[in-house]
Amino acid sequence: MGEGVEADTIALRLLRYERSQKLCNYLGGGIGGLLVVVGLSGNTLANAPWWMVSVIITVVVFAAVFLGRAYIGFLSSHYALVRYQKAENRDGAQQVPGSGGLGYPRATFMFFKLSTVLLFVAGLLLLVGIWFPPR
């Protein structure tokens, strides 16, 4: 989230929402890839402590839940702004009103950031679990 979000024009805010939705899709691909690696790893994590795979899966599930919440939030905000623009016959160059539920969804952005951090943590845990020596 850059500076000047509150002063966005309608067109710029719609672009932000579209970009955020794409980033959610890419992050979802990363989560799916991590699950595939864990699922197809076979015995790769067999030497890791018993709790590590459970922690990895738990972190990935939370990342996916937070990402889903973020995606829905960006999608809903985009829809609300398009609906406002059409209903009020507004130009894309006009500033987004801060009232009426059209402000920037800061909570949604935080869910996106949390999901990103959790995916990173899960990847690190996976790498640590892979390098445990045989018992």
Side-chain angles (χ1 to χ4, degrees):
M1 179 173 58
E3 293 192 11
V5 172
E6 301 305 326
D8 279 353
T9 62
I10 291 174
L12 180 59
R13 181 73 58 85
L14 289 174
L15 284 174
R16 283 185 199 270
Y17 291 151
E18 290 168 9
R19 180 179 181 272
S20 297
Q21 290 173 29
K22 287 179 184 178
L23 290 174
C24 285
N25 289 335
Y26 301 147
L27 193 58
I31 290 172
L34 190 61
L35 285 175
V36 167
V37 168
V38 170
L40 296 179
S41 64
N43 291 333
T44 304
L45 293 172
N47 298 326
W50 64 270
W51 52 267
M52 186 159 290
V53 175
S54 298
V55 170
I56 292 170
I57 297 298
T58 302
V59 170
V60 168
V61 166
F62 275 106
V65 167
F66 291 158
L67 182 63
R69 168 56 177 85
Y71 184 79
I72 294 298
F74 288 129
L75 189 67
S76 298
S77 296
H78 185 274
Y79 176 73
L81 187 55
V82 167
R83 193 176 65 213
Y84 166 80
Q85 184 181 18
K86 290 184 180 192
E88 299 293 323
N89 199 21
R90 300 290 175 155
D91 186 330
Q94 294 176 334
Q95 188 174 353
V96 176
S99 62
L102 297 174
Y104 193 79
R106 295 188 186 285
T108 297
F109 186 75
M110 288 310 300
F111 278 113
F112 175 76
K113 286 295 188 183
L114 280 171
S115 181
T116 304
V117 169
L118 288 175
L119 179 61
F120 179 75
V121 168
L124 285 179
L125 286 172
L126 180 65
L127 287 176
V128 169
I130 288 172
W131 285 99
F132 270 89
R135 296 178 201 171

